[in-house]
Amino acid sequence: MNQQQSSNPVAASALPRRRLGRTGLEVTILGFGTAPLGDLFARLDDAKAIAAAERAFALGVNLLDSSPLYGHGLAEHRCGTALRRVARDNIVVCTKVGRWMDPFHDRGDGSNFVGGQPHRAVVDYSYDGTMRSVEQSLLRLGTDRIDLLLIHDVDVWTHGRDAIEARFREAMAGAYVALDKLRSERVVKGIGIGVNEAEMCVRFAKAGTFDTMLLAGRYSLLEQPALAEFLPLAEAQGIGVMLGGVFNSGILATGAVSGAKYNYKDAPLDMMQKVAAIERVCRAHGVALPTAALHFALGHPAVASLVLGAQAPEEVERNVVALSTPVPSALWRDLKAERLLDANAPVPA
């Protein structure tokens, strides 16, 4: 399947664009996330995985987000193939630092990437480790430049409470200095972080000068912990926010069905009950749950883009259709009235 073919044709449309913080870049409100292209939880056919990226580009998506971690380099390889089939200047390429791949040791255990490259991910937030990571990414992507570089996974979720302080210091003394140098030399247009916790976004925003941040899972229709401090701070500092995980690992896409996932695990009972209640309100307004989830996440003025992963072209198409589907303002009023949504959360106009 190539970018001109699809089982469910969707007309290529001009997806709205928003300015990404201080970078000077304009990005589409829908970005293409590539964790699935690294064989996350399931092995993908190479051609189908690359076709998903091509379909995103064909539908007007101009933001591509990847990481060396995704498939231990495989996602970046697949992205590189897709990039070579479009005009490079049309795509904003974002990838991450904090790990480099060691080709002389096997992957080891514990990875959620069931396929991927047979290379070990070495966690390294040092200056030299960051530069090595950037060089490897350039080679895998097959490009001479990367537009955005993010320090990846400096959070409790990844490293645990006992190690987070040392990791934070290492990242600020090493990775941040390296990325700041690349930015000052205009090698990259923007630097930031990509984490799973709003609290770490606040810490980094207060410790350095960042252009953008990618926060996964902590601002969604289901929960809004980023609302109180991080998002207002980002808006005040001119930090462009990209949101990942707006379906909270799946439950806002599937609904409260048996086996629904929240934070990559089976959803607990309280989350199942809340999602079922949200879905009931959505149904009363004739709006699909995932459509409401996408529109809500874009309602905050600090948010520039939603970075959504996809395994196949038709998944990209569904996301584009959802973003073009109108949502009545009464839906947000009813969710707030039933205390299913933070009363202070901004909603789409």
Side-chain angles (χ1 to χ4, degrees):
M1 182 180 291
N2 61 39
Q3 63 183 18
Q4 303 301 322
Q5 297 174 319
S6 169
S7 59
N8 177 29
V10 177
S13 60
L15 282 167
R17 297 189 181 195
R18 296 180 178 179
R19 181 172 292 273
L20 185 66
R22 294 182 294 262
T23 65
L25 297 167
E26 298 278 339
V27 297
T28 46
I29 59 172
L30 176 63
F32 183 73
T34 63
L37 269 59
D39 290 350
L40 180 64
F41 301 122
R43 292 179 184 269
L44 301 187
D45 173 76
D46 216 41
K48 190 173 185 180
I50 294 165
E54 288 188 279
R55 187 61 178 149
F57 298 156
L59 290 174
V61 174
N62 82 331
L63 174 61
L64 176 74
D65 175 71
S66 196
S67 169
L69 176 64
Y70 302 159
H72 296 228
L74 178 60
E76 287 186 330
H77 272 295
R78 285 170 165 168
C79 289
T81 300
L83 280 172
R84 286 189 291 276
R85 298 173 182 175
V86 295
R88 172 64 183 84
D89 288 346
N90 291 343
I91 307 299
V92 175
V93 175
C94 175
T95 195
K96 305 181 184 77
V97 302
R99 299 174 179 89
W100 52 269
M101 297 301 133
D102 180 356
F104 300 108
H105 292 86
D106 63 29
R107 288 158 42 98
D109 299 326
S111 174
N112 289 323
F113 297 97
V114 299
Q117 306 286 60
H119 302 156
R120 179 164 300 183
V122 179
V123 176
D124 187 348
Y125 295 104
S126 70
Y127 182 97
D128 289 343
T130 297
M131 291 301 194
R132 177 183 292 190
S133 175
V134 173
E135 181 178 353
Q136 289 185 346
S137 289
L138 286 165
L139 291 169
R140 284 189 292 263
L141 289 164
T143 184
D144 60 352
R145 68 192 186 281
I146 295 166
D147 301 297
L148 303 170
L149 283 170
L150 311 181
I151 305 171
H152 200 191
D153 283 347
V154 185
D155 50 33
V156 176
W157 171 279
T158 304
H159 300 293
R161 295 199 176 278
D162 292 342
I164 189 59
E165 295 304 322
R167 289 300 188 191
F168 179 77
R169 290 194 298 270
E170 180 188 6
M172 285 305 301
Y176 174 72
V177 174
L179 296 191
D180 189 42
K181 180 175 187 291
L182 293 175
R183 177 175 57 183
S184 68
E185 295 173 348
R186 300 189 177 182
V187 176
V188 296
K189 294 180 180 177
I191 67 172
I193 66 166
V195 295
N196 299 286
E197 294 152 8
E199 297 83 359
M200 292 308 300
C201 290
V202 172
R203 286 195 65 178
F204 275 104
K206 292 179 177 180
T209 303
F210 293 94
D211 307 295
T212 184
M213 293 187 178
L214 172 55
L215 176 62
R218 304 285 74 85
Y219 191 74
S220 72
L221 188 62
L222 179 57
E223 55 185 3
Q224 301 89 47
L227 182 62
E229 188 174 7
F230 169 56
L231 289 174
L233 180 62
E235 194 175 7
Q237 292 192 359
I239 297 171
V241 177
M242 299 178 284
L243 292 179
V246 295
F247 295 138
N248 287 110
S249 307
I251 192 167
L252 287 178
T254 64
V257 298
S258 176
K261 300 299 180 186
Y262 169 77
N263 282 353
Y264 301 105
K265 299 177 181 177
D266 288 343
L269 179 60
D270 61 332
M271 289 298 175
M272 292 284 278
Q273 292 173 335
K274 185 174 182 181
V275 169
I278 293 171
E279 191 168 19
R280 173 179 50 76
V281 176
C282 290
R283 193 179 302 115
H285 289 277
V287 176
L289 177 64
T291 296
L294 294 183
H295 282 262
F296 169 76
L298 284 167
H300 197 287
V303 175
S305 185
L306 308 182
V307 177
L308 301 184
Q311 293 183 332
E314 50 268 27
E315 293 182 17
V316 180
E317 294 171 352
R318 284 200 297 268
N319 293 332
V320 172
V321 169
L323 283 172
S324 65
T325 302
V327 175
S329 58
L331 169 61
W332 315 120
R333 290 200 301 270
D334 287 353
L335 287 172
K336 289 186 177 184
E338 296 198 26
R339 298 185 178 182
L340 295 169
L341 187 59
D342 191 304
N344 296 316
V347 296

